[in-house]
Amino acid sequence: MSDLTDADIKAMLESSVVTPDDMREEEQAGELQGKWIPRTLADAYAPRPPREFLVDGLLPLPSLSILFGGPGSLKSMVLCDMAMCIAAGHAWLDVMPDGNERPGVTLRTKQANVLWIDFDNGPLSSDERFEALGRGHSMPPDAPIHYVSMPDPWLDASDRSLVASLSLYVQHAKYGLVIIDNLGLVSGDTEENGGDMAKVMGSLRWLAETARAAVIVIHHQRKSNGSSDAGISKGETLRGHSSINAALDLALLVDRKEGADDITIIPTKVRGYRQYDSIGAVFTYEHKPDTKELHSARFYSKVSESSEESINAAIKANLKAASKELGPCSGKELVDWVRDYMAALPGGRAPGLNKARGLIKTMVDDGEMLESGSRKERLYKAI
């Protein structure tokens, strides 16, 4: 048996403890000393220039954004159209010259160098797209819009060292807009629906901030589940883990009816002031003679007036009216009031339960309605 007493053991343990007094100053502070530089209220109070936008009121600089939509929604084409306008410093979605379309929103741009990184379409498709849209906007061959297709090394946004290399590349060429096509192909082995997507999105956010660029990633819309999707907000159709949407400054959904040349661009998330509920655009194009290959293409402004948007706007207006009449009340009371009211109108029809409930949630998310009370008894009040 050991001859050590309890007092001996206690003394040995105390002598082995390292206290702050025994450490050098830099050791006390830890490895983050000198690397993490805190900002103070003096920094917050200091005058600074207004936030810059590459697309007025829509696309901040720097920022991390996603543009998403279903297959065939023209999402890549309209984003490339925007990129052409930014590279030229011209307005995006100008009024159609022949006046055949009712004009919608036209947005000013701030000129910037543009980089498009294609991991999806390949050089031939990329060449055709950039040729057609370049001709459509009368862009010169030396316009500051560049694209790489299927580059090597491949970008893995889960690898911070590769993202750091991309940041240096972007800074060296002074690119103000960087477009990545698409998120699923640059996430490495990260499961799209898993929590580790937060690390991928964090790396892309870091890219935007260090390169001082607007980074836009193309992504996909979740497949529709038919009636079970009724009433859910547009933002919830963004595919993948919730951390994807949480990391964004801006999310844009491109909605297109099958076979139509017009699209609706819907901001489903805006960090800050939401200036546009929707933006309409119409796709115009010409083919090369005797082929189906595009010769020239571009988008023009078009008023956004889809039937679904009109119905949703009417339901939201009546939800606000119900809230003013009833005061703070349950979601069921709001929905019942609106359904009864709209059904009683001449030729009226009661909106679906899921549709009305979903719009209440959207209004809460968008700051148009306040939600209070306990989980068992939620109360709502229009702002």
Side-chain angles (χ1 to χ4, degrees):
M1 294 184 60
S2 173
D3 294 330
L4 291 175
T5 66
D6 290 343
D8 293 331
I9 295 173
K10 181 179 179 182
M12 291 173 61
L13 290 173
E14 288 177 347
S15 65
S16 66
V17 174
V18 179
T19 66
D21 292 338
D22 300 322
M23 300 170 64
R24 296 194 306 271
E25 184 176 347
E26 59 270 23
E27 291 176 334
Q28 293 180 36
E31 62 176 322
L32 297 182
Q33 179 67 16
K35 297 178 181 178
W36 285 24
I37 310 299
R39 296 174 69 81
T40 70
L41 281 178
D43 297 302
Y45 294 155
R48 55 185 174 273
R51 188 78 182 266
E52 289 185 277
F53 284 82
L54 288 186
V55 178
D56 191 33
L58 187 71
L59 182 62
L61 181 70
S63 59
L64 175 61
S65 305
I66 267 183
L67 182 134
F68 69 106
S73 62
L74 298 175
K75 57 183 180 292
S76 296
M77 291 297 289
V78 75
L79 185 55
C80 191
D81 189 83
M82 176 200 287
M84 290 287 174
C85 293
I86 291 172
H90 295 162
W92 180 46
L93 301 179
D94 212 342
V95 177
M96 187 176 289
D98 60 18
N100 287 337
E101 295 287 351
R102 288 174 55 200
V105 176
T106 297
L107 300 104
R108 292 176 300 173
T109 69
K110 175 183 173 63
Q111 196 282 324
N113 297 344
V114 177
L115 174 65
W116 185 293
I117 313 175
D118 165 50
F119 296 97
D120 192 18
N121 294 286
L124 289 178
S125 295
S126 295
D127 286 345
E128 179 183 358
R129 173 184 297 160
F130 279 84
E131 177 193 8
L133 288 164
R135 292 188 188 281
H137 286 276
S138 301
M139 302 283 282
D142 60 349
I145 181 165
H146 304 154
Y147 60 101
V148 292
S149 185
M150 304 296 168
D152 184 23
W154 196 272
L155 176 63
D156 179 353
S158 66
D159 184 337
R160 179 58 70 88
S161 64
L162 286 174
V163 178
S165 295
L166 177 56
S167 177
L168 293 175
Y169 184 87
V170 170
Q171 292 176 67
H172 179 74
K174 296 181 171 62
Y175 291 117
L177 174 61
V178 178
I179 296 168
I180 300 172
D181 189 4
N182 60 58
L183 179 60
L185 295 172
V186 299
S187 300
D189 295 329
T190 306
E191 168 57 43
E192 185 179 82
N193 292 299
D196 282 347
M197 279 302 297
K199 298 178 182 178
V200 172
M201 300 305 295
S203 290
L204 294 173
R205 159 68 65 184
W206 183 87
L207 168 65
E209 296 295 335
T210 56
R212 304 297 297 170
V215 176
I216 304 179
V217 185
I218 297 176
H219 196 36
H220 300 290
Q221 189 175 21
R222 181 168 55 79
K223 291 182 180 179
S224 173
N225 291 319
S227 59
S228 64
D229 280 347
I232 70 170
S233 68
K234 294 286 188 183
E236 291 180 275
T237 66
L238 176 65
R239 204 175 75 186
H241 192 264
S242 59
S243 60
I244 298 175
N245 191 61
L248 302 173
D249 293 294
L250 173 69
L252 297 174
L253 169 63
V254 180
D255 192 24
R256 179 194 186 193
K257 295 178 181 177
E258 187 174 354
D261 288 332
D262 58 297
I263 61 172
T264 302
I265 303 166
I266 305 166
T268 62
K269 179 184 178 181
V270 177
R271 196 188 297 272
Y273 177 69
R274 182 190 300 269
Q275 188 164 338
Y276 307 102
D277 287 330
S278 63
I279 299 167
V282 60
F283 184 50
T284 64
Y285 53 92
E286 293 180 0
H287 289 113
K288 293 180 179 179
D290 302 319
T291 74
K292 292 188 177 181
E293 186 177 345
L294 289 174
H295 169 70
S296 67
R298 69 174 291 176
F299 286 79
Y300 287 98
S301 167
K302 183 181 186 297
V303 69
S304 175
E305 53 179 4
S306 72
S307 58
E308 182 181 359
E309 287 176 340
S310 299
I311 292 170
N312 288 351
I315 297 172
K316 288 169 71 174
N318 283 303
L319 285 167
K320 288 183 178 180
S323 176
K324 289 180 180 179
E325 179 167 321
L326 299 174
C329 60
S330 68
K332 182 180 185 305
E333 289 173 307
L334 277 179
V335 170
D336 288 346
W337 191 100
V338 169
R339 282 171 56 83
D340 290 344
Y341 177 80
M342 295 184 72
L345 294 172
R349 183 177 178 183
L353 286 171
N354 287 338
K355 166 78 77 173
R357 290 168 182 162
L359 286 172
I360 291 175
K361 183 179 185 304
T362 299
M363 292 172 74
V364 171
D365 292 342
D366 293 344
E368 298 178 75
M369 188 168 284
L370 292 176
E371 183 182 55
S372 61
S374 65
R375 179 176 295 183
K376 293 182 178 180
E377 189 175 356
R378 298 287 193 193
L379 296 178
Y380 298 91
K381 179 183 178 182
I383 297 175

